[in-house]
Amino acid sequence: MPVIYVLDAFEPSGLQYLADQNQSFVPFGDPRGINWHQDAVGIMIRGSQLSADDFARARKLKVVSKQGVGVDNIALSAAREHGVIVCNTPGINSAAVAELAFTLAMAVARRVSEFDRMIRSGSKIVRPRYLGRAMHGKTIGFIGMGNIGTQAARLFRGAFDCRILAYDPYAPMGHWGDIPHVRIADLEELWPQVDVLSLHVPLTDTTRNIVDRAAIARMKPSAIIINVSRGGLIDELALADALRDGKLFGAGLDAFEEGEPPSRSNPLLAFPNVLATPHAGAGTIETQADSSLATARQLLHVLAG
Ligand code: NAD
């Protein structure tokens, strides 16, 4: 009788591990998955939603193993109430997400997607009108310096000798000792200084709209905003207004408030200096294989007690 249900598409390494351990499981897409509430003891998920009702119905459930970091798709208090352990795979995808933050910043700074679209559409390109921004020696502000923020800071510092400003009131002192940086205690100090602002915090009540209209208004018009974390961290209407008024150089967004990818009618997509990706931060072949395996291993580890 199957005890583990895989509710999202996973890279095969995790499922192969379950098979190697002679573990009975129902893979993603199998019609039996519809009835997972009846006998699931363990669940592997990525982005699927697990509601309070799911936890109330799944009487045998002991563990939810989530691939990735963010657990905002899971009703955690209901899981606690029903004694279900929720685990994730922090750190495994950090390098890949940090690489995307760096890539988006560079691509926006050098107008890569803008030029690509112009070339494909046969537009006449008057290059002096489309100058990019250099990155060397620039000031990069990080909100959130956990696993991903730290790795992204290392990339910018190593590649371009950037000045790193770090805002993370919860991180222990000395946590990023190997990265020369200035620790910022008050966000009001951060906004006017940054050439690139990179967000690496979870979405919580305190971080929702952490980049609000007032913050954007205090930033340099040459600044670039990068969000590879969660939609909801930026006031998107304020961002669109600033881009329309030429108050920012551009933005690189892997996360959107309304969904990933966002619908084509999202006003941000009308700006050529917005580079959008579909929550693809962890989307490397290497990372998917590693984290699929870790999700399966972790699940069996918890079930083994
Ligand atoms: P992490 O837990 O290692 O780091 C988060 C940091 O944010 C911590 O150091 C914490 O102290 C800090 N923080 C929390 N609240 C804060 C606040 N109000 N102000 C400033 N700092 C605050 O997490 P991580 O692995 O670095 O992930 C960061 C974000 O990236 C999460 O939102 C996660 O969901 C997202 N993420 C996105 C992708 C993607 O594909 N785009 C993949 C993985 C993770």
Side-chain angles (χ1 to χ4, degrees):
M1 182 186 295
V3 291
I4 294 175
Y5 284 77
V6 183
L7 298 190
D8 287 303
F10 274 79
E11 199 279 344
S13 60
L15 308 190
Q16 185 59 51
Y17 179 76
L18 295 180
D20 291 346
Q21 302 296 311
N22 297 320
Q23 182 65 53
S24 153
F25 67 95
V26 177
F28 175 66
D30 187 310
R32 288 175 296 165
I34 293 169
N35 298 319
W36 68 267
H37 298 90
Q38 287 171 15
D39 59 351
V41 174
I43 280 176
M44 280 174 60
I45 60 163
R46 300 177 58 192
S48 281
Q49 300 286 327
L50 285 183
S51 66
D53 181 54
D54 287 325
F55 285 104
R57 289 172 60 204
R59 309 299 285 264
K60 296 183 181 167
L61 189 60
K62 288 195 169 63
V63 52
V64 172
S65 192
K66 152 89 204 246
Q67 177 179 319
V69 183
V71 285
D72 40 330
N73 53 326
I74 301 167
L76 289 179
S77 54
R80 240 186 326 268
E81 191 186 318
H82 294 278
V84 178
I85 293 173
V86 176
C87 46
N88 57 356
T89 57
I92 291 182
N93 57 18
S94 304
V97 184
E99 284 173 14
L100 184 65
F102 183 84
T103 304
L104 289 177
M106 279 309 298
V108 173
R110 298 305 301 270
R111 301 180 181 269
V112 172
S113 65
E114 215 172 329
F115 280 138
D116 180 67
R117 275 191 295 258
M118 289 164 93
I119 289 172
R120 285 169 199 266
S121 66
S123 313
K124 181 167 161 26
I125 304 174
V126 185
R127 278 184 299 166
R129 279 203 212 145
Y130 295 97
L131 296 180
R133 308 285 319 182
M135 201 59 83
H136 193 87
K138 289 286 165 43
T139 297
I140 320 291
F142 289 88
I143 301 184
M145 282 283 280
N147 286 314
I148 298 170
T150 309
Q151 299 215 37
R154 242 178 236 123
L155 290 178
F156 282 101
R157 176 78 197 171
F160 300 117
D161 205 16
C162 288
R163 181 170 166 252
I164 304 297
L165 305 183
Y167 174 78
D168 189 332
Y170 308 109
M173 294 301 279
H175 195 50
W176 331 294
D178 63 317
I179 309 168
H181 67 276
V182 176
R183 192 169 180 138
I184 299 285
D186 181 353
L187 272 177
E188 293 309 310
E189 283 175 41
L190 187 78
W191 312 126
Q193 296 192 59
V194 295
D195 296 301
V196 174
L197 174 69
S198 201
L199 306 177
H200 301 284
V201 285
L203 181 64
T204 64
D205 289 344
T206 42
T207 61
R208 181 169 291 282
N209 278 347
I210 196 164
V211 184
D212 60 11
R213 190 170 290 276
I216 292 171
R218 298 203 58 212
M219 291 173 69
K220 299 176 190 176
S222 56
I224 292 168
I225 296 180
I226 301 299
N227 182 11
V228 295
S229 288
R230 282 288 180 266
L233 297 177
I234 304 174
D235 177 340
E236 289 189 357
L237 278 179
L239 177 59
D241 287 346
L243 291 164
R244 185 173 305 110
D245 298 342
K247 299 275 174 59
L248 284 172
F249 188 78
L253 306 171
D254 190 45
F256 292 84
E257 179 128 39
E258 56 149 341
E260 289 142 9
S263 68
R264 290 178 68 192
S265 61
N266 185 309
L268 289 169
L269 301 183
F271 298 100
N273 47 348
V274 167
L275 177 46
T277 48
H279 201 119
T284 66
I285 291 164
E286 296 83 350
T287 299
Q288 290 305 306
D290 290 350
S291 55
S292 172
L293 182 59
T295 309
R297 273 183 195 272
Q298 202 155 247
L299 189 149
L300 292 196
H301 187 71
V302 174
L303 284 184

